[in-house]
Amino acid sequence: MTSAKKDMAQYVANKSMITVKAAIAVVNDQGHILLQERADDGLWYMPLGVMKPGEMLEDTAYRELWEETGLTAEVMIFERLLSGPDFKREYPSGDEEYYVIGLFRAQGILYSELNYSSMQEGPMRFFALNEIPELSPVTARVLSDYLDLTELN
């Protein structure tokens, strides 16, 4: 770490920050939900990503769906805004990151445009609700709100 970064760290270490994200629920005709496995922790996630400065949250949802899965949607339907103590990440430094997540439901998925070279994460597939694999904590919380399920794991 450079000395400039060390100097900066003394001011930002052990701080809280807020990150705005978009989560996308992709459900097929059988009612199965699309999840993607991450190589780093082996857990399954729904498409989810950070809003860029100046970007509308709906545009974040379209962009993240494409970047993470290679899929596009005709319409993103805003479902709800999620926040609170269940949407928190703690870092080894003691820093805390709180998420504010706009949950969208993708409609009109265009499978013909599937482009695996654009995917940033690992394998993905649709799961029936009674076959949900081990989820990341944030995805489990988002899906439980979305599906009104109390326990997914």
Side-chain angles (χ1 to χ4, degrees):
M1 183 182 287
T2 67
S3 62
K5 286 185 180 178
K6 286 180 186 175
D7 289 343
M8 181 63 86
Q10 70 181 334
Y11 298 109
V12 282
N14 301 311
K15 299 290 182 191
S16 294
M17 60 187 147
I18 298 171
T19 303
V20 180
K21 295 186 170 213
I24 305 97
V26 180
V27 180
N28 67 14
D29 293 339
Q30 292 78 37
H32 299 172
I33 188 114
L34 182 69
L35 298 172
Q36 191 166 36
E37 184 179 29
R38 286 189 44 168
D40 59 352
D41 60 12
L43 299 176
W44 290 79
Y45 292 72
M46 61 191 310
L48 174 82
V50 177
M51 184 171 80
K52 293 181 178 180
E55 188 174 49
M56 291 181 0
L57 193 53
E58 181 181 14
D59 292 338
T60 302
Y62 282 108
R63 178 180 52 77
E64 288 295 336
L65 180 64
W66 169 251
E67 286 179 0
E68 294 194 8
T69 70
L71 298 172
T72 58
E74 291 177 355
V75 178
M76 286 290 176
I77 298 171
F78 177 74
E79 293 290 340
R80 64 181 70 161
L81 194 62
L82 306 167
S83 63
D86 290 340
F87 298 98
K88 172 184 165 184
R89 180 175 180 187
E90 294 183 37
Y91 293 90
S93 66
D95 292 349
E96 300 171 329
E97 184 178 18
Y98 289 87
Y99 301 135
V100 176
I101 301 174
L103 176 58
F104 292 85
R105 179 170 36 95
Q107 273 194 329
I109 293 296
L110 303 175
Y111 297 99
S112 61
E113 294 186 20
L114 188 60
N115 177 1
Y116 289 102
S117 65
S118 73
M119 291 179 5
Q120 293 181 349
E121 300 298 339
M124 61 181 171
R125 66 174 267 227
F126 285 94
F127 289 92
L129 297 183
N130 62 350
E131 298 176 344
I132 298 288
E134 186 176 0
L135 300 172
S136 75
V138 170
T139 292
R141 182 66 174 89
V142 170
L143 281 180
S144 69
D145 274 15
Y146 180 68
L147 302 171
D148 293 322
L149 296 176
T150 58
E151 185 175 330
L152 294 177
N153 289 324

